[in-house]
Amino acid sequence: MREGAAPYGLMPNAAMRIVNDRIAWVGSAAEHEARSGEERLDLGGRLVTPGLIDCHTHLVYAGNRANEWAMRLAGATYEEIATSGGGIVSTMDATRAADDGELLETSATRLRKLMAEGLTTVEIKSGYGLDLDTELRILRVARMLGRTPEIDVIATFLGAHAVPPEYSDNRAGYLRLLIEEMLPAVAAEGLADAVDAYCEGLAFTTAEVRAIFERARALGLPVRLHAEQFSDSGGAAMAAELGALSCDHLEYLSPEGIEAMAAAGTVAVLAPGAYYYLHETRKPPVEAIRAEGVPMAVSTDHNPGSSPMLSLLTAMNMACVLFGLTPEEALRGATVNAALALGLTDRGSIETGKLADLAVWNVQSPDELSYALGNNPCHRVYKNGIPREL
Ligand code: DI6
Ligand code: FE
Protein backbone atom coordinates (compact mmCIF):
# COMPACT_ATOMS: atom_id res chain seq x y z
CA MET A 1 0.00 0.00 0.00
CA ARG A 2 3.03 2.27 -0.29
CA GLU A 3 2.51 5.30 -2.56
CA GLY A 4 3.74 4.84 -6.12
CA ALA A 5 4.77 1.23 -5.67
CA ALA A 6 4.02 -1.86 -7.78
CA PRO A 7 0.47 -3.31 -7.74
CA TYR A 8 -0.55 -3.31 -4.09
CA GLY A 9 3.09 -2.42 -3.28
CA LEU A 10 3.38 -6.18 -2.98
CA MET A 11 6.75 -7.62 -1.94
CA PRO A 12 7.25 -11.35 -2.42
CA ASN A 13 9.50 -13.20 0.07
CA ALA A 14 9.49 -10.27 2.45
CA ALA A 15 10.55 -9.84 6.03
CA MET A 16 9.71 -7.18 8.57
CA ARG A 17 11.21 -6.07 11.84
CA ILE A 18 8.88 -4.77 14.55
CA VAL A 19 10.23 -2.81 17.50
CA ASN A 20 7.66 -2.00 20.16
CA ASP A 21 4.55 -0.75 18.35
CA ARG A 22 6.27 0.24 15.09
CA ILE A 23 7.52 -1.24 11.86
CA ALA A 24 11.28 -0.75 12.13
CA TRP A 25 12.35 -2.32 8.83
CA VAL A 26 10.80 -3.93 5.74
CA GLY A 27 12.74 -5.68 3.00
CA SER A 28 13.45 -8.96 1.31
CA ALA A 29 13.83 -11.98 3.56
CA ALA A 30 17.28 -12.59 2.02
CA GLU A 31 18.50 -9.20 3.31
CA HIS A 32 17.08 -9.65 6.76
CA GLU A 33 19.79 -9.93 9.37
CA ALA A 34 18.77 -11.65 12.55
CA ARG A 35 19.75 -9.77 15.67
CA SER A 36 20.43 -11.52 18.91
CA GLY A 37 17.63 -11.31 21.39
CA GLU A 38 14.99 -10.82 18.72
CA GLU A 39 12.01 -13.13 18.48
CA ARG A 40 11.59 -14.55 14.98
CA LEU A 41 8.16 -15.47 13.62
CA ASP A 42 7.64 -17.41 10.41
CA LEU A 43 4.27 -16.57 8.85
CA GLY A 44 4.54 -19.48 6.44
CA GLY A 45 4.53 -17.45 3.24
CA ARG A 46 1.17 -15.86 4.04
CA LEU A 47 0.08 -12.45 2.76
CA VAL A 48 0.51 -9.59 5.23
CA THR A 49 -1.42 -6.36 4.69
CA PRO A 50 -1.89 -3.27 6.81
CA GLY A 51 -4.63 -3.88 9.39
CA LEU A 52 -7.98 -2.99 7.85
CA ILE A 53 -9.69 0.29 8.74
CA ASP A 54 -13.45 0.84 8.61
CA CYS A 55 -13.63 4.63 8.41
CA HIS A 56 -17.43 5.08 8.54
CA THR A 57 -19.72 3.23 10.97
CA HIS A 58 -22.64 4.02 13.24
CA LEU A 59 -21.93 1.11 15.58
CA VAL A 60 -23.42 2.41 18.85
CA TYR A 61 -27.22 2.19 18.98
CA ALA A 62 -29.97 0.01 20.44
CA GLY A 63 -32.50 -2.20 18.70
CA ASN A 64 -32.66 -2.94 15.01
CA ARG A 65 -34.87 -2.02 12.04
CA ALA A 66 -35.55 -5.37 10.38
CA ASN A 67 -39.25 -4.38 10.36
CA GLU A 68 -38.41 -1.41 8.12
CA TRP A 69 -36.32 -3.62 5.90
CA ALA A 70 -39.36 -5.85 5.39
CA MET A 71 -41.49 -2.74 4.69
CA ARG A 72 -39.00 -1.58 2.07
CA LEU A 73 -39.02 -5.00 0.42
CA ALA A 74 -42.82 -4.68 0.28
CA GLY A 75 -42.50 -1.39 -1.59
CA ALA A 76 -42.14 1.43 0.97
CA THR A 77 -39.25 3.82 0.35
CA TYR A 78 -36.57 4.84 2.85
CA GLU A 79 -37.89 8.43 2.70
CA GLU A 80 -41.53 7.37 3.31
CA ILE A 81 -40.54 5.35 6.36
CA ALA A 82 -38.43 8.21 7.71
CA THR A 83 -41.16 10.83 7.27
CA SER A 84 -43.78 8.59 8.93
CA GLY A 85 -41.90 8.38 12.22
CA GLY A 86 -39.58 5.46 11.47
CA GLY A 87 -36.00 5.70 10.27
CA ILE A 88 -33.33 7.37 12.35
CA VAL A 89 -35.93 8.53 14.89
CA SER A 90 -37.02 4.97 15.71
CA THR A 91 -33.40 4.03 16.49
CA MET A 92 -33.15 7.25 18.49
CA ASP A 93 -36.11 6.14 20.65
CA ALA A 94 -34.52 2.74 21.32
CA THR A 95 -31.12 4.30 22.02
CA ARG A 96 -32.44 6.92 24.45
CA ALA A 97 -34.23 4.13 26.33
CA ALA A 98 -31.15 1.90 26.58
CA ASP A 99 -28.73 2.18 29.49
CA ASP A 100 -24.96 2.48 29.01
CA GLY A 101 -24.36 -1.19 29.83
CA GLU A 102 -26.75 -2.37 27.13
CA LEU A 103 -25.31 0.07 24.58
CA LEU A 104 -21.78 -1.05 25.39
CA GLU A 105 -22.60 -4.74 25.22
CA THR A 106 -24.53 -4.69 21.94
CA SER A 107 -21.96 -2.48 20.22
CA ALA A 108 -19.04 -4.56 21.53
CA THR A 109 -20.65 -7.65 20.00
CA ARG A 110 -20.93 -5.90 16.62
CA LEU A 111 -17.38 -4.57 16.89
CA ARG A 112 -16.04 -8.11 17.51
CA LYS A 113 -17.61 -9.25 14.25
CA LEU A 114 -16.00 -6.43 12.28
CA MET A 115 -12.65 -7.00 14.00
CA ALA A 116 -12.55 -10.67 13.00
CA GLU A 117 -11.76 -9.56 9.44
CA GLY A 118 -8.41 -8.03 10.32
CA LEU A 119 -9.57 -4.59 11.53
CA THR A 120 -7.15 -2.60 13.66
CA THR A 121 -8.91 0.80 13.50
CA VAL A 122 -12.61 1.63 13.36
CA GLU A 123 -14.51 4.88 13.26
CA ILE A 124 -17.77 5.18 15.20
CA LYS A 125 -20.28 8.02 14.91
CA SER A 126 -22.86 9.19 17.40
CA GLY A 127 -26.16 10.39 15.99
CA TYR A 128 -28.84 8.18 17.50
CA GLY A 129 -29.24 10.27 20.64
CA LEU A 130 -30.11 13.68 19.23
CA ASP A 131 -30.20 15.22 22.70
CA LEU A 132 -27.21 16.42 24.69
CA ASP A 133 -27.23 13.65 27.28
CA THR A 134 -27.66 10.70 24.89
CA GLU A 135 -25.20 12.03 22.31
CA LEU A 136 -22.56 12.32 25.05
CA ARG A 137 -23.43 8.83 26.33
CA ILE A 138 -22.98 7.33 22.85
CA LEU A 139 -19.60 9.03 22.43
CA ARG A 140 -18.49 7.83 25.87
CA VAL A 141 -19.48 4.27 24.89
CA ALA A 142 -17.44 4.66 21.68
CA ARG A 143 -14.47 5.83 23.78
CA MET A 144 -14.98 2.85 26.12
CA LEU A 145 -14.92 0.46 23.14
CA GLY A 146 -11.52 1.91 22.28
CA ARG A 147 -10.14 1.41 25.79
CA THR A 148 -8.40 -1.83 24.83
CA PRO A 149 -5.02 -2.53 23.23
CA GLU A 150 -6.83 -4.59 20.55
CA ILE A 151 -8.25 -1.80 18.39
CA ASP A 152 -8.23 1.97 17.98
CA VAL A 153 -11.63 3.65 17.93
CA ILE A 154 -11.97 7.07 16.28
CA ALA A 155 -15.12 8.82 17.52
CA THR A 156 -17.17 11.23 15.42
CA PHE A 157 -19.94 13.53 16.67
CA LEU A 158 -22.98 13.29 14.37
CA GLY A 159 -25.55 15.26 16.34
CA ALA A 160 -26.67 16.64 12.96
CA HIS A 161 -28.04 13.26 11.85
CA ALA A 162 -31.74 14.19 12.00
CA VAL A 163 -33.94 16.80 13.65
CA PRO A 164 -35.43 15.04 16.71
CA PRO A 165 -39.25 15.05 17.05
CA GLU A 166 -39.26 17.52 19.96
CA TYR A 167 -37.78 20.10 17.56
CA SER A 168 -39.77 19.13 14.44
CA ASP A 169 -41.35 22.59 14.23
CA ASN A 170 -38.31 24.37 15.61
CA ARG A 171 -35.31 23.49 13.44
CA ALA A 172 -33.57 26.68 14.44
CA GLY A 173 -33.85 25.60 18.07
CA TYR A 174 -32.14 22.28 17.36
CA LEU A 175 -29.39 24.04 15.39
CA ARG A 176 -28.85 26.38 18.33
CA LEU A 177 -28.65 23.39 20.67
CA LEU A 178 -26.13 21.72 18.34
CA ILE A 179 -23.95 24.78 17.90
CA GLU A 180 -24.19 26.43 21.29
CA GLU A 181 -24.44 23.45 23.65
CA MET A 182 -23.64 20.08 22.11
CA LEU A 183 -20.50 20.98 20.14
CA PRO A 184 -18.84 22.86 23.02
CA ALA A 185 -19.70 20.04 25.46
CA VAL A 186 -18.31 17.38 23.11
CA ALA A 187 -15.14 19.43 22.59
CA ALA A 188 -14.71 20.19 26.30
CA GLU A 189 -14.91 16.52 27.24
CA GLY A 190 -12.63 15.49 24.34
CA LEU A 191 -15.26 13.01 23.21
CA ALA A 192 -14.88 13.34 19.45
CA ASP A 193 -12.05 13.32 16.93
CA ALA A 194 -14.21 14.88 14.20
CA VAL A 195 -17.68 16.23 13.45
CA ASP A 196 -19.99 14.81 10.78
CA ALA A 197 -23.42 15.84 9.49
CA TYR A 198 -26.12 14.35 7.28
CA CYS A 199 -26.58 16.82 4.42
CA GLU A 200 -29.72 15.67 2.63
CA GLY A 201 -33.32 16.66 1.92
CA LEU A 202 -34.38 14.42 4.82
CA ALA A 203 -31.88 15.93 7.22
CA PHE A 204 -29.89 19.21 7.06
CA THR A 205 -29.37 21.81 4.35
CA THR A 206 -25.96 22.89 3.09
CA ALA A 207 -26.35 26.25 4.84
CA GLU A 208 -27.26 24.59 8.16
CA VAL A 209 -24.30 22.22 7.90
CA ARG A 210 -21.97 25.11 7.10
CA ALA A 211 -22.95 26.85 10.34
CA ILE A 212 -22.36 23.63 12.33
CA PHE A 213 -19.02 23.01 10.62
CA GLU A 214 -17.78 26.56 11.15
CA ARG A 215 -18.36 26.13 14.89
CA ALA A 216 -16.65 22.72 14.81
CA ARG A 217 -13.61 24.19 13.06
CA ALA A 218 -13.50 27.05 15.56
CA LEU A 219 -13.41 24.43 18.34
CA GLY A 220 -10.48 22.74 16.59
CA LEU A 221 -12.43 19.73 15.33
CA PRO A 222 -12.01 18.45 11.74
CA VAL A 223 -15.19 17.86 9.72
CA ARG A 224 -16.52 15.21 7.34
CA LEU A 225 -19.88 14.94 5.63
CA HIS A 226 -22.63 12.52 4.54
CA ALA A 227 -23.11 14.20 1.16
CA GLU A 228 -24.90 13.75 -2.15
CA GLN A 229 -26.44 10.36 -1.29
CA PHE A 230 -29.94 10.95 -2.72
CA SER A 231 -29.53 14.36 -4.35
CA ASP A 232 -26.90 16.94 -5.27
CA SER A 233 -27.08 19.63 -2.62
CA GLY A 234 -23.57 20.99 -3.14
CA GLY A 235 -22.60 19.71 0.30
CA ALA A 236 -19.36 18.11 -0.83
CA ALA A 237 -18.00 21.36 -2.29
CA MET A 238 -19.04 23.28 0.84
CA ALA A 239 -17.37 20.72 3.12
CA ALA A 240 -14.22 20.57 0.98
CA GLU A 241 -13.99 24.37 1.22
CA LEU A 242 -13.91 23.96 5.00
CA GLY A 243 -11.08 21.43 4.65
CA ALA A 244 -13.22 18.32 5.22
CA LEU A 245 -11.27 15.10 5.78
CA SER A 246 -13.85 13.17 3.77
CA CYS A 247 -17.18 13.32 2.01
CA ASP A 248 -19.12 10.08 2.15
CA HIS A 249 -21.69 8.30 -0.11
CA LEU A 250 -21.49 10.72 -3.12
CA GLU A 251 -23.86 8.98 -5.56
CA TYR A 252 -24.99 12.41 -6.83
CA LEU A 253 -21.59 14.13 -6.61
CA SER A 254 -21.18 16.84 -9.28
CA PRO A 255 -18.05 17.70 -11.28
CA GLU A 256 -17.75 20.87 -9.16
CA GLY A 257 -17.87 18.74 -6.01
CA ILE A 258 -15.12 16.46 -7.32
CA GLU A 259 -12.99 19.46 -8.23
CA ALA A 260 -13.39 21.01 -4.79
CA MET A 261 -12.54 17.70 -3.11
CA ALA A 262 -9.45 17.27 -5.30
CA ALA A 263 -8.27 20.79 -4.45
CA ALA A 264 -8.78 20.25 -0.71
CA GLY A 265 -7.37 16.71 -0.56
CA THR A 266 -10.74 15.44 0.73
CA VAL A 267 -11.20 11.65 0.62
CA ALA A 268 -14.24 10.14 -1.17
CA VAL A 269 -15.63 7.49 1.19
CA LEU A 270 -17.86 5.02 -0.64
CA ALA A 271 -20.67 3.20 1.16
CA PRO A 272 -21.78 0.45 -1.21
CA GLY A 273 -23.81 -1.27 1.54
CA ALA A 274 -26.33 1.59 1.69
CA TYR A 275 -26.53 1.64 -2.13
CA TYR A 276 -27.18 -2.10 -2.11
CA TYR A 277 -29.76 -2.22 0.70
CA LEU A 278 -31.69 0.77 -0.65
CA HIS A 279 -31.75 -0.59 -4.21
CA GLU A 280 -30.17 2.60 -5.46
CA THR A 281 -29.43 2.76 -9.18
CA ARG A 282 -27.25 5.84 -9.42
CA LYS A 283 -23.61 5.01 -8.72
CA PRO A 284 -21.01 7.44 -7.42
CA PRO A 285 -18.99 8.90 -10.34
CA VAL A 286 -16.02 6.64 -9.68
CA GLU A 287 -14.32 7.22 -13.03
CA ALA A 288 -14.33 11.00 -12.60
CA ILE A 289 -13.27 10.72 -8.95
CA ARG A 290 -10.38 8.50 -10.04
CA ALA A 291 -9.47 10.79 -12.95
CA GLU A 292 -9.26 13.83 -10.65
CA GLY A 293 -6.99 11.95 -8.25
CA VAL A 294 -9.40 12.08 -5.29
CA PRO A 295 -8.45 9.21 -2.95
CA MET A 296 -11.26 6.66 -2.52
CA ALA A 297 -12.00 4.80 0.71
CA VAL A 298 -14.49 1.96 1.26
CA SER A 299 -16.62 1.60 4.40
CA THR A 300 -19.41 -0.58 5.75
CA ASP A 301 -21.40 2.51 6.88
CA HIS A 302 -22.76 0.01 9.40
CA ASN A 303 -26.09 1.36 10.68
CA PRO A 304 -29.42 -0.27 11.54
CA GLY A 305 -31.37 1.47 8.75
CA SER A 306 -29.62 1.57 5.42
CA SER A 307 -26.59 -0.68 5.87
CA PRO A 308 -26.78 -3.30 8.64
CA MET A 309 -23.70 -5.14 7.31
CA LEU A 310 -20.84 -6.17 9.60
CA SER A 311 -18.19 -7.10 7.06
CA LEU A 312 -15.65 -4.74 5.54
CA LEU A 313 -14.48 -7.48 3.13
CA THR A 314 -18.05 -7.60 1.83
CA ALA A 315 -18.09 -3.81 1.42
CA MET A 316 -14.85 -4.16 -0.57
CA ASN A 317 -16.47 -6.81 -2.77
CA MET A 318 -19.53 -4.57 -3.31
CA ALA A 319 -17.30 -1.60 -4.17
CA CYS A 320 -15.77 -3.74 -6.94
CA VAL A 321 -18.96 -5.39 -8.23
CA LEU A 322 -21.37 -2.45 -7.86
CA PHE A 323 -19.12 0.60 -8.28
CA GLY A 324 -16.31 -0.69 -10.52
CA LEU A 325 -13.33 -0.38 -8.19
CA THR A 326 -10.37 -2.64 -8.83
CA PRO A 327 -9.52 -5.10 -6.03
CA GLU A 328 -6.42 -2.99 -5.42
CA GLU A 329 -8.52 0.18 -5.06
CA ALA A 330 -10.83 -1.67 -2.67
CA LEU A 331 -7.89 -2.67 -0.46
CA ARG A 332 -6.40 0.84 -0.59
CA GLY A 333 -9.88 2.03 0.38
CA ALA A 334 -9.88 -0.15 3.47
CA THR A 335 -6.31 0.69 4.52
CA VAL A 336 -4.26 3.70 3.49
CA ASN A 337 -7.11 5.84 2.13
CA ALA A 338 -9.36 4.95 5.06
CA ALA A 339 -6.59 6.22 7.35
CA LEU A 340 -6.49 9.47 5.34
CA ALA A 341 -10.26 9.85 5.73
CA LEU A 342 -9.66 9.78 9.47
CA GLY A 343 -6.74 12.21 9.28
CA LEU A 344 -4.29 9.46 10.30
CA THR A 345 -0.89 9.22 8.63
CA ASP A 346 0.72 6.81 11.11
CA ARG A 347 -1.02 3.70 9.68
CA GLY A 348 -2.60 2.17 6.60
CA SER A 349 0.56 1.05 4.83
CA ILE A 350 3.51 -1.20 5.62
CA GLU A 351 6.44 1.21 5.84
CA THR A 352 9.24 1.89 8.27
CA GLY A 353 8.02 4.11 11.07
CA LYS A 354 4.33 3.24 10.75
CA LEU A 355 2.36 1.47 13.44
CA ALA A 356 2.72 -2.31 13.33
CA ASP A 357 -1.01 -2.75 12.66
CA LEU A 358 -1.11 -5.82 10.44
CA ALA A 359 -3.43 -8.49 9.13
CA VAL A 360 -2.12 -11.90 8.08
CA TRP A 361 -4.21 -13.77 5.51
CA ASN A 362 -4.60 -17.33 4.24
CA VAL A 363 -4.60 -16.25 0.59
CA GLN A 364 -2.24 -16.50 -2.37
CA SER A 365 -2.98 -13.05 -3.80
CA PRO A 366 -4.46 -9.81 -2.40
CA ASP A 367 -7.09 -10.01 -5.18
CA GLU A 368 -8.69 -12.73 -3.05
CA LEU A 369 -9.57 -10.31 -0.26
CA SER A 370 -12.52 -8.85 -2.17
CA TYR A 371 -13.28 -12.03 -4.09
CA ALA A 372 -15.25 -14.64 -2.17
CA LEU A 373 -18.32 -13.44 -0.27
CA GLY A 374 -18.83 -15.02 3.14
CA ASN A 375 -15.22 -16.10 3.38
CA ASN A 376 -12.97 -14.69 6.07
CA PRO A 377 -9.38 -15.70 5.29
CA CYS A 378 -7.92 -13.72 8.20
CA HIS A 379 -5.28 -15.82 9.95
CA ARG A 380 -3.98 -13.43 12.59
CA VAL A 381 -3.96 -9.73 13.53
CA TYR A 382 -1.24 -7.58 15.05
CA LYS A 383 -2.29 -4.34 16.72
CA ASN A 384 0.60 -2.08 17.74
CA GLY A 385 2.88 -5.08 17.18
CA ILE A 386 0.93 -7.30 19.58
CA PRO A 387 -0.84 -10.43 18.30
CA ARG A 388 -4.58 -10.37 18.95
CA GLU A 389 -6.97 -13.26 19.36
CA LEU A 390 -9.38 -13.48 16.42
N1 DI6 B 1 -25.79 6.83 6.76
C1 DI6 B 1 -26.56 7.48 7.64
O1 DI6 B 1 -26.15 8.06 8.58
C2 DI6 B 1 -27.95 7.49 7.23
N2 DI6 B 1 -27.84 6.70 6.02
C3 DI6 B 1 -26.58 6.38 5.79
O2 DI6 B 1 -26.20 5.74 4.82
C4 DI6 B 1 -29.02 7.07 8.16
C5 DI6 B 1 -28.90 5.72 8.79
C6 DI6 B 1 -30.22 5.24 9.36
O3 DI6 B 1 -31.19 5.10 8.63
O4 DI6 B 1 -30.29 4.96 10.57
FE1 FE C 1 -23.51 6.83 7.47
Side-chain angles (χ1 to χ4, degrees):
M1 294 294 109
R2 226 172 4 163
E3 212 45 69
Y8 292 100
L10 191 65
M11 295 177 62
N13 305 313
M16 183 186 325
R17 170 174 287 119
I18 296 173
V19 177
N20 299 324
D21 62 347
R22 299 277 162 170
I23 297 166
W25 179 83
V26 196
S28 83
E31 289 164 29
H32 171 253
E33 289 161 30
R35 291 184 186 168
S36 64
E38 276 186 349
E39 183 187 1
R40 188 169 184 280
L41 278 161
D42 185 349
L43 294 173
R46 290 185 175 85
L47 175 76
V48 181
T49 68
L52 300 194
I53 300 171
D54 193 348
C55 65
H56 179 150
T57 86
H58 308 248
L59 215 60
V60 179
Y61 60 84
N64 73 61
R65 308 227 297 275
N67 60 329
E68 293 184 6
W69 183 58
M71 284 162 70
R72 283 205 311 277
L73 289 171
T77 68
Y78 183 76
E79 289 84 348
E80 282 163 7
I81 293 169
T83 46
S84 63
I88 292 171
V89 166
S90 73
T91 301
M92 178 207 77
D93 286 332
T95 305
R96 285 181 181 177
D99 64 29
D100 292 3
E102 181 189 339
L103 281 180
L104 183 62
E105 199 181 304
T106 51
S107 12
T109 303
R110 291 190 279 265
L111 180 56
R112 274 276 147 209
K113 291 186 179 149
L114 279 177
M115 284 167 70
E117 290 183 340
L119 259 73
T120 47
T121 300
V122 68
E123 184 261 12
I124 300 178
K125 302 174 196 299
S126 68
Y128 290 115
L130 308 180
D131 62 31
L132 178 63
D133 179 55
T134 317
E135 284 294 311
L136 296 181
R137 287 204 298 127
I138 293 170
L139 291 170
R140 289 192 201 109
V141 167
R143 288 286 190 230
M144 264 185 260
L145 290 168
R147 227 168 275 145
T148 156
E150 302 200 322
I151 187 142
D152 285 332
V153 172
I154 305 299
T156 304
F157 173 61
L158 178 58
H161 199 191
V163 175
E166 61 271 25
Y167 284 95
S168 58
D169 45 21
N170 180 15
R171 293 180 70 83
Y174 189 60
L175 281 168
R176 256 198 315 279
L177 178 71
L178 273 169
I179 292 170
E180 288 166 23
E181 291 184 47
M182 289 192 187
L183 276 173
V186 167
E189 219 183 300
L191 284 175
D193 305 298
V195 172
D196 196 342
Y198 197 26
C199 189
E200 202 56 66
L202 279 175
F204 295 89
T205 67
T206 309
E208 288 167 343
V209 173
R210 180 189 285 278
I212 296 162
F213 280 7
E214 280 171 352
R215 186 68 200 263
R217 300 296 285 130
L219 290 164
L221 288 163
V223 297
R224 23 195 327 216
L225 186 64
H226 281 72
E228 270 75 288
Q229 182 183 8
F230 303 122
S231 59
D232 175 18
S233 60
M238 178 277 297
E241 248 177 65
L242 294 174
L245 290 172
S246 77
C247 293
D248 305 36
H249 289 284
L250 305 174
E251 278 78 352
Y252 287 79
L253 181 61
S254 67
E256 295 72 40
I258 299 177
E259 209 176 294
M261 289 174 67
T266 301
V267 177
V269 176
L270 306 177
Y275 172 94
Y276 164 86
Y277 273 104
L278 299 182
H279 280 187
E280 294 297 317
T281 51
R282 170 136 165 180
K283 305 174 188 202
V286 162
E287 274 173 38
I289 292 171
R290 188 188 283 132
E292 292 303 318
V294 174
M296 288 183 281
V298 175
S299 67
T300 62
D301 186 19
H302 174 86
N303 74 72
S306 63
S307 190
M309 67 191 301
L310 284 167
S311 166
L312 187 54
L313 293 179
T314 304
M316 289 162 62
N317 170 277
M318 288 176 168
C320 294
V321 174
L322 303 175
F323 292 168
L325 267 66
T326 66
E328 182 181 355
E329 285 174 330
L331 185 59
R332 294 189 78 80
T335 53
V336 67
N337 288 348
L340 270 184
L342 300 176
L344 302 172
T345 52
D346 62 350
R347 67 195 73 190
S349 61
I350 298 181
E351 291 178 84
T352 302
K354 298 246 176 157
L355 285 176
D357 286 5
L358 306 163
V360 184
W361 308 92
N362 286 315
V363 300
Q364 300 293 310
S365 147
D367 289 345
E368 288 176 60
L369 296 178
S370 51
Y371 170 58
L373 282 178
N375 178 40
N376 177 13
C378 189
H379 170 73
R380 192 179 288 166
V381 177
Y382 290 89
K383 173 66 193 137
N384 295 331
I386 299 167
R388 176 180 95 200
E389 292 299 317
L390 282 188

